[in-house]
Amino acid sequence: MKHILQKCLILFLLAYGFSGASFYYEHSGNSDVAVENAQPKIEPQKGECRMSNDELSNGKRKLLQKYNECVNAYSVNSVHVLWFKVWEGESGVDERATCFRELSQEIIRMSDCAEQSLDKGALMSLDEFTGYMLNLGFTEYFFGIILNYDSLKSYEAETKIVDEFDMEDEKYLFKDRDYSELIQNMPVDRESKDVALLYLNYLRYKYGDYGCEQVAFHYECSFDKVENDKKAFLNRYSDSKYSDFVNQVIVDYESERSRIQAGKQHEKDLKTAQSIANDLKERKLWMALSLFGMIGFPQTDGPISIDNEYDVSTMYTLGLKWQYRRFFLQYQYYMAPGTTFDDSFAENGFFVMLGGSIGTLKSWSIDLFLGVNSVNTHGKYPNLEDSDFEPLVGLQYSKAIQLTDCISLVLSAQAAWTGFYYQELTADDRPSAQEAATQLHLNFGVGVRFWTPKPRSMYDEKYLDLIEE
């Protein structure tokens, strides 16, 4: 049944114009490379399609998701009584066929977009394309790739592949997959089946877990298993038409792995260097010290008596803020003039806040903070216990106006909530149970900020060298 299904899939996909190897060569700039046994195709209708590298990368991820849906659409179900299988049936045959057809069309569309968007670029690596050819059932193109691998690989060396050093697609296609049954059903001779199995096991070693063993809490991978498979094949088929392919391609991957890892690291370094170049150009805020003054309007929320008694109309604040990138430490000293008392202050105290900032920092920011509030009421509220530290939470908005390269005028608005406990007095002047109350500080201020971008000398030299290149 599976053999029949595979043939149906091949015919079904070919009818919808997915020509495997020709498709890869056209969209990689390899149109002059011939593939044995290539089949005629119906050209898909090409439309205008331009995509950025990020869009092409996201498109490749979606191809993998679609491929996973296709694989999971088909299943074999069975019923057992004790140890005896009494019934077996398949489900999802038509669904998988339809899914693979849609996947092949999407691969064509994405590759057209890559061809139009990239200069000497391609959507897929040769290994990834090989995996799709095999899994979509294009046996003739799979062996065409093997027989022309040398020429194709030389072309690929001059081609920029989307996510070339990511290898997520290749790992997904080859990891934890046993192709033995699929290869056995191929309409080819024994030698071709054996070289296909050898090649697929090599790709599983390269991207998956073939030849790996668990040692303690990690896996160790060795080429020995693949090397033994290779020797067995060459001993069995001493005059094989695949000998050149086997000797040149099925080799220890460690050097290639190192090259890919080096390339992947280089890609990361380039992105880091570009980010540093932007920071240097824009002179992003790195460290700052601000001095400011504020006027505030506290609002107390609690029992009616405390609303009437423990409330002041105005507070004045002096503050200091130190900022490192998006982290800041802030200190504020505040005082409230007396309104119903002869003394100079109704209360005074200080805030200490830690927080983080969002925004450009250089021109504007929104700060979120937590902290503590220490208040002294000078004994004016006998039922209020002064607290050394009360919880504090809030946010503030700052707008900066550049005065010089390193000095800014900063306008700010702040909302801070703090809590405390208050005791009502009963009719016989006995204190009742404590009740919670909160006070909202609405502050508006102006200040001066002294700031600096990160010095060029503090960046890693290797990134600066990449910028100069």
Side-chain angles (χ1 to χ4, degrees), residues 295-301 310-316 334-336 347 416 418 438-443:
I295 182 171
F297 308 97
Q299 299 293 325
T300 305
D301 182 21
Y310 183 55
D311 210 351
V312 291
S313 59
T314 310
M315 282 188 178
Y316 300 98
Y334 64 87
M335 47 197 152
E347 65 177 272
T418 184
T438 60
Q439 190 173 60
L440 168 63
H441 294 249
L442 292 175
N443 299 319

Side-chain angles (χ1 to χ4, degrees), residues 300-311 383-384 420-425 432-439:
T300 305
D301 182 21
I304 294 177
S305 61
I306 195 172
D307 286 347
N308 295 332
E309 182 180 3
Y310 183 55
D311 210 351
N383 302 325
L384 177 68
F420 57 90
Y421 288 100
Y422 180 83
Q423 284 186 315
E424 295 273 17
L425 292 179
S432 64
Q434 286 186 335
E435 295 188 52
T438 60
Q439 190 173 60

Side-chain angles (χ1 to χ4, degrees), residues 86 99 118 126 133-134 169 218 226 295 300 315 329 348-349:
V86 296
C99 186
L118 301 175
L126 184 56
M133 285 294 93
L134 182 67
D169 306 70
H218 68 282
V226 180
I295 182 171
T300 305
M315 282 188 178
L329 173 64
N348 66 316

